[in-house]
């Protein structure tokens, strides 16, 4: 296979690996097409350490030629002949772990470094590890993914009167980033949809993402209308939105840009729904950052967390300066607003920004978590991610090409999905009993989205996933997470389903830094993990079995 | 004295400022009481006069005259009184009532917790410092009890019983005490029996620029000798070096390493009481802001310097812990007078060193030893009487926060929970119990507190189930031995549960602790149940040959009490959307009229007039409270409470 071209040195002996929580160990390093494998020299039962090359965000190397000192070394009485030169490779991973490899021999070190560099930046989707990963517990014959639009629709009997599944995008010609099937108002035919799609960026016309049973109102999402500088209109787009609110009522459009940004978008052909054309719809602007701003925020936050200084002032100032928690606050507050419109006011909401592939998805999925108890179960949450992120066309490959350590010039990177996970963590922290899943699931997802054995987060859209054969030749992460033993690991032991909406507090003292993610490689995280185990034991090993026992003896 | 009620007073919800409740304001000799008269279930707010920090009358408006009451437990109440004249009267009365001139006016002298004289007397013996020193292994061949301070003749701010090195003779003690501020000579605070190292404490030496005192030098030499395995000791001055040097000009100062053989001198740089007072004030301003941005909050938190000060205290504790446990070196700690920073640092080090102080009773003992007995000036620092505002400072508050920060880092290592710390904080100010009245042991004895007042410790012990951390594992590796905390800046967090204690919207809406406590209680019930079932089965088997109908009432608990696991979390969910629109209630919601009571003590009607309840239990996290209320009644959430998540009242009425 062509991977071998990239591998200049496949094996090095006597490498010292340094990583968090472990003593430095000496062993053999091996570079393969997709992994770094480090095995202990003693060959004891300890499993070799496996690192997905895709996980490596940045690599730093320093070599030392110790030729001049070799005599000094030999006089210290070392049994082995000392290497005349050595090098150190620092690997900064996308899961924020930092590893160090001390490699004897300058040449080996440079070879390993360059092999890692080229292999970890391979861009061809079909060469990525998920296409080679074949776990025994999954079969390629299984359905890829948890559910399709049609299956999802079939489960929601209550919307069948007003809403239908449209296959208008079955060949991805109407919107390249939409899935083949979407849910739209019953009264709108495919022809109208095609025309409305032409009026929306990337063809992303308004589609249903959530139906609220109690009020009968909905959350929709789309991209921006292409009204442009001369305020073009589109009859079909207006009809579509009118059909949503049935003409009489009020609806809210939550634009995730500031009104100034929306105005400016008209200059480049984008725009917003003007009041005169969309009667009954009230537009609200809430500025959510995305793209470069968000990526830089993550970089600054991770840098702050790695700061070794002991000054509280410096820490708080860096934390503030990163603005990450401000982004969390804005995202939760906008989602809260959407949910409030739906649940408290009883009005439907359309969410969009510009492309409709980032902040719109963030807001619509958080609003659903606030409102919908079904989306708070483990399977429900994964289903939500599948619908609102994978199928809805969040460009994972572009957004997650690099993480916080990379020195590569940024192109499309943005940690929107990580921001979502952080917001979900904040929700779960404020409502520790309301979520069926636990923090380890969020941490696993934060890792998998950057580097994974599974194909779920490959590509940028459903269409690309079909073209590259992801659905036939890789396994689905979500299915794997729902297997019995994994399910137990990722379930929240305290979970007690509540039908109520969970309104998060967005007051600054209520929002905290997600230590589990951003400080997961410090000792601090260890104590918290231990505490989680104690909770798990308390609930599952003491209480529940006892309960059953009592019931049994009662009988 | 003004002693009547004012009608049609409005209580403004300072957190959301969306809603006000109308009711009647009563001023009694001990409490301000606001009785809401609009709702079906009468709700009341009780505020102890001794908890009032400031009363501020603001410019009157068309709707009335606002009166802002800030409390020492961080509750803020804004009343609007229709008549300016009434407001003036309330203002003047409250100022007078909240600033008593004499100890005898304090609440603890009138508070009667329904117990007879003998019980009260016994209750004070619950925490016994003699027992504490013998728990440490004292007196022994290295340390002895000295009668030097009996009748407080050497130092009137020290306790009567003090432990000193065996070799410290009375002349050495007397001489040393003359060379120390307020006669507070070096004496033992904590003895680490594993390796004989000890934490000693004192006040600063009166060294000026060059003065020496042979006896004081001998005293320190005696401390070094009382630790047989080491040949030197650390002297930790908890002040910033600059402050210590400034003190030399006033004839005070710090130990000169050249004069004292075998000491290593060390500054740790904790700021003085004035800096701490201002820092807290700044932090409270930040935490009280309405809908601040994240940046405003973090910048404000930084510029207040509060967490920096907390870290400085913990760092000092860690330094001492390392010296004692790892190096086996004794430490002498002092600041200026040795009753503020010294108390903080010694007690933090004790918590880190000894698992005992991480238990309920251990923390009580520790506060009794390092704070109460060693003369921390509670009445001055906590503003019990109308006194010098410059004497007020959150010194013990910082100690309690240090313990909280540690318990956040080691969730399984502490037997007590956050509520325990908050309750102690509350009563340090409340003057409901006699423990913290006065400034030293001498004063306390003269006041006859043990005869006339109640002890907080027995009250807390009686209610200890409320204060147990369900995650505590005495056998856990985290719990045993010395705690080695990280002190990286990110380990220090804003303690919202204390400083925003009454801004209910800010706290997590469901509490893991409450849930686990309920589970634990249920587990106990289940175990009893199981035992009783098994007994019953056994009996049934035994008696099958005989008659069967003997024990119908083996247990009287109805199955409904335990049959379902805690499933009423939805009741505890009582919460409403925040102000997401940023427009202050721009959305017209039919529910907004019914927002939950914020920061109020809510009690069902008739009981509360009979006895002033302990406000702490009812106000500490009402959401969790309602969750518990739901658990204890264990009825599934009915249609009503599910539909109207706003009404806490439902939860309470159900209970």
């Amino acid at each position: 296979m062509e991977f071998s071209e990239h591998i200049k040195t496949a094996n090095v002996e006597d490498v010292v690996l340094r990583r968090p929580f472990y003593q430095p160990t000496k062993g053999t390093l091996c570079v393969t097409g997709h992994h770094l494998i480090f095995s202990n020299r003693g060959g004891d039962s300890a499993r070799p350490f496996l690192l997905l090359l895709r996980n490596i965000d940045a690599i730093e190397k320093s070599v030392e030629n110790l030729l001049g000192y070799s005599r000094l070394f030999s006089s210290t009485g070392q049994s082995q002949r000392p290497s005349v030169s050595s090098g150190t490779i620092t690997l900064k991973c996308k899961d924020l772990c930092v590893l160090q490899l001390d490699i004897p021999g300058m040449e080996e070190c440079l070879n390993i470094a360059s092999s890692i560099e080229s292999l970890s930046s391979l861009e061809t989707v079909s060469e990525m590890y998920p296409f080679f990963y074949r776990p025994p517990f999954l079969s390629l014959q299984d359905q890829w993914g948890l559910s399709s639009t049609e299956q999802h629709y079939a489960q929601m009997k209550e919307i069948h009167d007003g809403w239908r599944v449209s296959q208008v995008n079955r060949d991805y010609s109407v919107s390249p980033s939409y899935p083949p099937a979407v849910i739209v108002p019953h009264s709108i035919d495919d022809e109208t949809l095609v025309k409305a799609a032409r009026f929306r960026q990337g063809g992303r016309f308004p589609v249903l993402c959530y139906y609220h049973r109690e009020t009968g109102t909905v959350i929709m999402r789309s991209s921006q209308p292409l009204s442009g500088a001369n305020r073009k209109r589109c009859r079909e787009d207006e009809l579509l939105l009118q059909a949503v609110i049935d003409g009489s009522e009020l609806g809210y459009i939550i634009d995730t840009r500031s009104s100034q940004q929306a105005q400016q978008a008209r200059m480049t052909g984008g725009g917003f729904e003007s009041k005169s054309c969309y009667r009954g719809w009230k537009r609200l602007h809430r500025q959510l950052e995305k793209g470069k701003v968000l990526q830089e925020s993550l970089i600054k936050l991770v840098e702050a967390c790695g700061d070794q200084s002991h000054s509280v002032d410096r820490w708080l100032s860096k934390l503030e300066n990163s603005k990450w928690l401000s982004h969390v606050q804005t995202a939760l507050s906008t989602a809260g607003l959407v949910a409030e419109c739906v649940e408290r006011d009883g009005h439907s909401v359309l969410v969009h920004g510009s492309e409709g592939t980032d902040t719109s998805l963030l807001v619509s999925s958080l609003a659903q978590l606030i409102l919908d108890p079904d989306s708070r179960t483990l399977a429900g949450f994964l289903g939500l991610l599948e619908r609102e992120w994978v199928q809805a066309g969040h460009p994972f490959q572009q957004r997650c090409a690099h993480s916080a350590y990379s020195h590569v010039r940024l192109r499309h990177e943005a940690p929107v999905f990580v921001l979502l996970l952080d917001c979900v963590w904040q929700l779960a922290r404020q409502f520790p009993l309301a979520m069926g899943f636990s923090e380890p699931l969020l941490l696993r997802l934060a890792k998998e989205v950057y580097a994974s054995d599974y194909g779920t987060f490959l590509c940028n859209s459903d269409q690309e996933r079909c073209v590259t054969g992801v659905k036939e030749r890789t396994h689905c992460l979500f299915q794997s997470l729902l297997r019995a033993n994994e399910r137990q690991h990722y379930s929240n032991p305290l979970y007690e389903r509540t039908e109520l909406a969970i309104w998060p507090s967005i007051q600054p003292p209520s929002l905290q830094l997600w230590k589990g993610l951003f400080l997961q490689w410090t000792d601090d995280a260890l104590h918290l993990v231990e505490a989680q185990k104690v909770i798990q034991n308390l609930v599952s090993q003491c209480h529940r079995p006892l309960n059953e026992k009592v019931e049994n003896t009662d009988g | 004295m003004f002693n009547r009620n004012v009608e049609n007073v409005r209580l403004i919800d300072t957190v959301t400022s969306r809603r006000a409740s109308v009711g009647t304001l009563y001023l009694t000799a001990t409490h301000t009481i606001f009785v809401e008269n609009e709702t079906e279930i009468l709700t009341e707010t009780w505020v102890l006069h001794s908890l009032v920090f400031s009363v501020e009358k603001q410019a009157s408006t068309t709707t009335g005259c606002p009166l802002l009451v800030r409390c020492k437990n961080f509750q803020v109440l804004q009343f609007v009184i229709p008549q300016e004249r009434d407001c003036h009267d309330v203002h003047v009365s409250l100022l007078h009532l909240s600033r008593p001139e004499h100890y005898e006016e304090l609440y603890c002298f009138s508070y009667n917790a329904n117990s007879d004289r003998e019980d009260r007397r016994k209750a004070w013996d619950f925490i016994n410092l003699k027992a504490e020193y013998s728990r440490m292994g004292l007196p022994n061949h290295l340390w002895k009890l000295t009668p030097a301070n009996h009748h407080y003749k050497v130092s009137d701010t020290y306790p009567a019983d003090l432990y000193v090195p065996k070799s410290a003779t009375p002349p050495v003690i007397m001489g040393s005490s003359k060379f120390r501020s307020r006669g507070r000579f070096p004496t033992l605070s904590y003895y680490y029996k594993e390796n004989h190292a000890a934490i000693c404490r004192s006040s600063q030496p009166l060294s000026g620029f060059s003065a020496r005192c042979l006896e004081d030098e001998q005293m320190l030499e005696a401390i070094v000798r009382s630790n047989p395995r080491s040949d030197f000791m650390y002297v930790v001055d908890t002040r910033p070096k600059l402050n210590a040097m400034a003190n030399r000009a006033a004839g005070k100062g710090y130990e000169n390493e050249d004069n004292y053989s075998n000491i290593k001198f060390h500054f740790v740089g904790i700021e003085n009481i004035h800096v701490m007072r201002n820092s807290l004030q700044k932090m409270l301003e930040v935490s009280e802001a309405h809908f601040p941005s994240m940046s405003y909050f973090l910048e404000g938190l930084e510029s207040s310097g509060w967490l920096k000060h907390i870290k400085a205290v913990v760092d000092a504790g860690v330094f001492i812990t390392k010296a004692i446990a790892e190096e086996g070196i004794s430490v002498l700690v002092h600041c200026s007078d040795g009753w503020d920073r010294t108390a903080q640092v010694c007690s933090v080090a004790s918590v880190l060193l000894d698992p005992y102080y991480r238990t309920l009773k251990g923390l009580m003992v520790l506060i009794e030893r390092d704070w109460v007995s060693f003369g921390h000036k509670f009445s001055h620092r906590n503003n019990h009487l109308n006194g010098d505002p410059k004497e007020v400072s959150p010194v013990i508050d910082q100690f309690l926060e240090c313990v909280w920060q540690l318990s956040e880092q080691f969730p399984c290592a502490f037997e007590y929970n956050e509520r325990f710390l908050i309750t102690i904080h509350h009563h340090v100010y409340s003057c409901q119990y006699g423990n913290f009245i006065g400034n030293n042991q001498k004063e306390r004895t003269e006041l006859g507190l043990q005869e006339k007042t109640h002890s907080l410790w027995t009250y807390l012990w009686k209610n200890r189930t409320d204060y147990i951390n369900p995650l505590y594992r005495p056998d856990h590796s985290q719990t045993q031995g010395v705690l080695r905390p990280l002190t990286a800046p990110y380990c220090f967090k804003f303690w919202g549960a204390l400083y925003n204690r009454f801004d209910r919207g800010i706290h997590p809406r469901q509490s893991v602790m409450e849930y686990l406590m309920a589970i634990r209680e249920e587990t106990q019930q289940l175990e009893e149940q199981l035992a009783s079932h098994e007994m019953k089965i056994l009996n049934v088997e035994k008696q099958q040959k005989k008659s069967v109908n003997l024990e119908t009432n083996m247990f009287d608990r109805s199955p409904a009490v335990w049959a379902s696991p805690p499933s009423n979390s939805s009741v505890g969910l009582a919460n409403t959307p925040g102000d997401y629109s940023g427009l202050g209630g721009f959305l017209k919601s039919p529910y907004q009229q019914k927002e939950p009571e914020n920061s109020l003590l809510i009690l069902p009607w008739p009981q509360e007039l009979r006895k002033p309840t302990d406000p702490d239990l009812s106000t500490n996290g009402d959401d969790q409270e309602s969750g518990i209320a739901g658990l204890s009644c264990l009825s599934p959430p009915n249609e009503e409470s599910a539909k109207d998540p706003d009404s806490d009242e439902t939860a309470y009425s159900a209970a």
Side-chain angles (χ1 to χ4, degrees), chain B residues 47-179:
Chain B
V47 177
L48 254 178
H49 293 324
S50 40
L51 278 172
V52 172
F53 177 73
S54 71
V55 194
E56 198 185 316
K57 188 165 151 265
Q58 295 167 323
S60 59
T61 63
T62 48
T63 54
C65 189
L67 189 73
L68 192 68
V69 180
R70 286 173 191 282
C71 301
K72 297 168 189 173
N73 59 358
F74 312 117
Q75 186 168 20
V76 181
L77 296 162
Q78 190 177 13
F79 297 108
V80 178
I81 298 171
Q83 296 294 319
E84 214 270 335
R85 187 173 36 82
D86 287 337
C87 184
H88 176 79
D89 286 350
V90 173
H91 182 218
V92 170
S93 310
L94 209 49
L95 275 182
H96 173 77
L97 289 165
S98 63
R99 307 237 168 94
E101 298 290 334
H102 306 287
Y103 284 123
E104 289 74 13
E105 299 167 40
L106 291 174
Y107 183 45
C108 57
F109 291 100
S110 56
Y111 173 66
N112 178 9
N114 310 328
S115 62
D116 67 45
R117 201 167 264 277
E118 187 53 29
D119 286 352
R120 185 192 291 192
R121 179 70 233 161
K122 261 191 221 148
W124 277 101
D125 293 333
F126 175 63
I127 297 298
N128 178 345
L129 286 185
K130 267 225 170 72
E132 157 66 0
Y133 285 105
S134 69
R135 188 195 66 87
M136 287 190 233
L138 300 182
N140 63 6
H141 64 291
L142 299 166
W143 293 88
K144 65 177 181 192
L145 179 67
T146 171
N149 203 38
H150 280 180
H151 310 294
Y152 310 104
K153 50 182 192 267
V154 174
S155 170
D156 56 0
T157 61
Y158 258 2
D161 290 344
L162 289 163
Y163 287 80
V164 291
K166 199 108 190 182
S167 58
T169 58
V172 166
I173 293 173
M174 288 306 288
S176 170
S177 77
K178 294 214 170 74
F179 191 63

Side-chain angles (χ1 to χ4, degrees), chain B residues 10 114 155 227 240 266 375 589 599 639 648:
Chain B
R10 283 182 303 138
N114 310 328
S155 170
N227 182 357
H266 190 81
S589 149
S599 63
E639 194 62 18
D648 276 359

Side-chain angles (χ1 to χ4, degrees), chain A residues 317-382:
Chain A
S317 134
K318 284 189 147 196
L319 180 63
E320 189 279 311
N321 194 37
S322 80
K323 300 285 180 219
W324 181 263
L325 285 171
S326 303
H327 300 319
V328 170
Q329 189 185 32
T330 319
L332 280 173
S333 131
T334 310
L337 178 64
V338 170
E340 203 177 3
C341 290
V342 170
E343 207 245 19
R344 293 290 153 125
D345 256 24
H347 295 303
S348 291
V349 179
L350 168 68
V351 187
H352 72 72
S354 20
E355 293 93 348
T357 54
D358 296 287
T359 51
S360 323
L361 308 183
L362 177 65
V363 170
S364 74
S365 34
L366 285 174
Q368 290 179 60
L369 278 166
I370 292 173
L371 292 173
D372 181 11
D374 291 334
S375 70
R376 298 182 214 131
T377 64
L378 177 59
F381 178 59
L382 295 177

Side-chain angles (χ1 to χ4, degrees), chain B residues 235-251:
Chain B
V235 175
V236 172
D237 190 325
T238 56
R239 298 170 292 185
K241 187 170 184 183
L242 221 59
N243 301 17
M245 283 168 72
N247 260 302
R248 290 204 298 192

Side-chain angles (χ1 to χ4, degrees), chain B residues 232 300 352 496:
Chain B
F232 75 96
L352 292 172

Side-chain angles (χ1 to χ4, degrees), chain A residues 21 113 125 135 145 237 249 254 272 292 295 330-331 374 420 427 467 472 484 508:
Chain A
F21 309 135
V125 171
D237 191 62
E249 294 169 65
I254 309 289
F272 51 87
K292 210 169 190 171
Q295 182 72 15
T330 319
D374 291 334
L420 169 87
L427 272 175
V467 171
E472 289 82 45

